[in-house]
Amino acid sequence: MTLTYDWTDTPEATRAEIGGLPPVPESFLAESLASSMCEFGADSRA
């Protein structure tokens, strides 16, 4: 499984308001993906 985030359509004003993109740390994205993979019974290291 490959998960990508496309922020290209996010308005510049929104980017400036939240301090850049992605709006969460990379560690949060990794933990979120690992959690989702567990729900689907997949190995997130694959």
Side-chain angles (χ1 to χ4, degrees), residues 15-31:
R15 294 175 192 224
E17 183 178 327
I18 61 175
L21 295 174
V24 295
E26 285 187 37
S27 60
F28 177 85
L29 297 175
E31 291 169 14

Side-chain angles (χ1 to χ4, degrees), residues 1-3 5-7 12 16 20-22 28 30-34 39-40 43:
M1 171 190 261
T2 300
L3 181 62
Y5 297 89
D6 182 358
W7 307 101
E12 186 60 41
L21 295 174
F28 177 85
E31 291 169 14
S32 176
L33 178 58
E39 288 181 29
F40 293 109
D43 185 344

